[in-house]
Amino acid sequence: MKNIITYILILTVSFGFAQQEDAEEMLQKLNEKTNNLISDANDLASSDAFVSAEMEYRKAISGKPTSVAGTYNLGHSYYKKGNFEEALFRNQQAAKYATDKLEKHSAFHNIGNILMQEKKCSEAAEAFKNALRNNPLDEETRYNYALAKECAKNQEPPQEEDSKDDKDKDKKENEDQQDQDKKEDEGDNKEDSQDKGDDDKKEGEDKEDEGKPEEEKDKDGKGDDQKKEQPKPQQQPGKLSPQQIKNLLEAMDNQEQKVQDKMNAEKAKGAKIQTEKDW
């Protein structure tokens, strides 16, 4: 029985070592395949065959997503083509999966350069700072970090000034609105006071009329009617007023009298009156 247990233990240990060897062998093969794909992609990228290089990089990353070389080199290719969004994403992946400081430094350095291209100076300065934490001796990174800080410093004042101007503008608009509301309230109060005064005056007149006798009320009412301007009679089109008819009759009588006087004078002289014939 003891020999059987020992035999089982030996088999188990042997099987475990075999599995470990198989796993290491598979990992080694995967790394070799990934490295070959990356190498081919690098050659294609150097020949400006970007599309083919991108395909090889993606194959390498698909087989081994944690490949720092694959993501970093693909990001660098995107950067050269001006595709900063994809370049930033791939370099962020490289910074995430990097296991040593030099790899982290390179990834963060590239991230800073991409952010500077997009005018994001504060974020770029932070990326360069992370790169220097992993490699304080890199002079290029230190120089870029100083440029990014200066750029961020120059970007801050306009933003603060704009914010201040917006606040002042909002404050002025609020004050103007308050003044307008105050004027409207004063106008409403004044109108209400005037209406109230008119109502009080009318009420006083009503009370005064209540204390007068009926005759005085009638007299007052009549007087008010007399004071009102009487409407002028309107002459209808085509019709003469009585006064116009009277004036017209008087004019006709005067004209007829003149004609009669002239005829009498001619008769008296014996002159012959010529009449117009109707042919």
Side-chain angles (χ1 to χ4, degrees):
M1 183 67 180
K2 186 176 181 180
N3 293 332
I4 295 175
I5 296 174
T6 303
Y7 180 73
I8 293 174
L9 290 173
I10 293 173
L11 290 176
T12 303
V13 172
S14 299
F15 182 74
F17 280 119
Q19 282 186 328
Q20 185 176 358
E21 289 177 358
D22 292 340
E24 290 177 354
E25 186 178 355
M26 290 177 62
L27 181 60
Q28 185 177 359
K29 289 181 178 180
L30 176 61
N31 289 334
E32 289 178 358
K33 182 179 180 180
T34 301
N35 292 335
N36 290 334
L37 290 171
I38 293 173
S39 179
D40 293 340
N42 291 340
D43 293 338
L44 292 169
S46 300
S47 303
D48 290 332
F50 174 75
V51 176
S52 299
E54 181 185 16
M55 292 178 60
E56 296 301 310
Y57 282 131
R58 288 184 176 275
K59 290 178 181 178
I61 296 171
S62 176
K64 187 179 180 182
T66 59
S67 173
V68 177
T71 53
Y72 177 86
N73 291 348
L74 179 57
H76 183 67
S77 298
Y78 280 130
Y79 181 83
K80 289 175 63 177
K81 290 296 181 180
N83 190 346
F84 299 130
E85 184 177 356
E86 284 292 331
L88 179 62
F89 174 70
R90 293 302 179 180
N91 278 279
Q92 287 173 339
Q93 280 186 318
K96 178 180 178 182
Y97 297 125
T99 56
D100 62 71
K101 289 188 174 183
L102 291 179
E103 290 178 345
K104 287 182 177 295
H105 164 263
S106 298
F108 279 119
H109 181 91
N110 284 358
I111 290 173
N113 288 338
I114 295 168
L115 293 173
M116 285 293 289
Q117 291 290 337
E118 296 182 339
K119 307 300 181 183
K120 297 179 180 180
C121 299
S122 297
E123 298 177 20
E126 188 64 26
F128 287 129
K129 185 189 295 186
N130 288 330
L132 287 173
R133 287 171 180 169
N134 290 279
N135 185 9
L137 301 178
D138 191 287
E139 294 299 329
E140 183 179 355
T141 303
R142 188 175 300 279
Y143 178 76
N144 289 358
Y145 175 52
L147 290 179
K149 285 199 302 181
E150 187 66 22
C151 175
K153 184 178 179 181
N154 293 333
Q155 284 182 341
E156 288 177 359
Q159 294 177 355
E160 293 178 357
E161 185 177 353
D162 293 341
S163 178
K164 183 179 179 181
D165 292 340
D166 293 339
K167 290 181 180 179
D168 293 340
K169 184 178 179 181
D170 294 339
K171 183 178 179 181
K172 188 175 184 304
E173 290 179 353
N174 291 333
E175 290 177 353
D176 293 341
Q177 186 63 36
Q178 290 177 359
D179 292 340
Q180 184 66 25
D181 294 340
K182 186 177 180 181
K183 289 180 181 179
E184 291 179 357
D185 293 339
E186 289 177 354
D188 294 339
N189 294 334
K190 184 176 180 181
E191 185 176 354
D192 294 340
S193 300
Q194 185 176 357
D195 294 340
K196 184 177 180 182
D198 294 340
D199 294 340
D200 294 341
K201 183 177 179 181
K202 184 176 180 182
E203 184 178 355
E205 291 177 354
D206 293 340
K207 290 183 178 179
E208 185 178 353
D209 291 340
E210 289 178 359
K212 291 182 179 181
E214 294 295 332
E215 295 179 357
E216 292 185 5
K217 292 181 180 180
D218 296 338
K219 184 177 179 181
D220 293 340
K222 184 177 181 181
D224 293 338
D225 294 338
Q226 290 176 350
K227 291 179 182 179
K228 294 181 180 178
E229 183 179 357
Q230 296 295 331
K232 294 181 180 180
Q234 300 293 328
Q235 180 178 345
Q236 297 181 0
K239 293 185 179 181
L240 299 176
S241 65
Q243 183 64 35
Q244 288 176 328
I245 294 173
K246 182 179 178 180
N247 295 336
L248 184 60
L249 290 174
E250 290 179 355
M252 291 174 66
D253 291 338
N254 292 334
Q255 185 68 25
E256 185 178 357
Q257 184 64 38
K258 290 180 180 180
V259 173
Q260 188 67 33
D261 292 341
K262 186 176 180 181
M263 291 177 65
N264 292 333
E266 294 292 337
K267 287 180 180 181
K269 292 180 180 181
K272 188 176 180 180
I273 300 175
Q274 184 178 358
T275 59
E276 184 179 0
K277 293 183 179 180
D278 186 8
W279 295 102

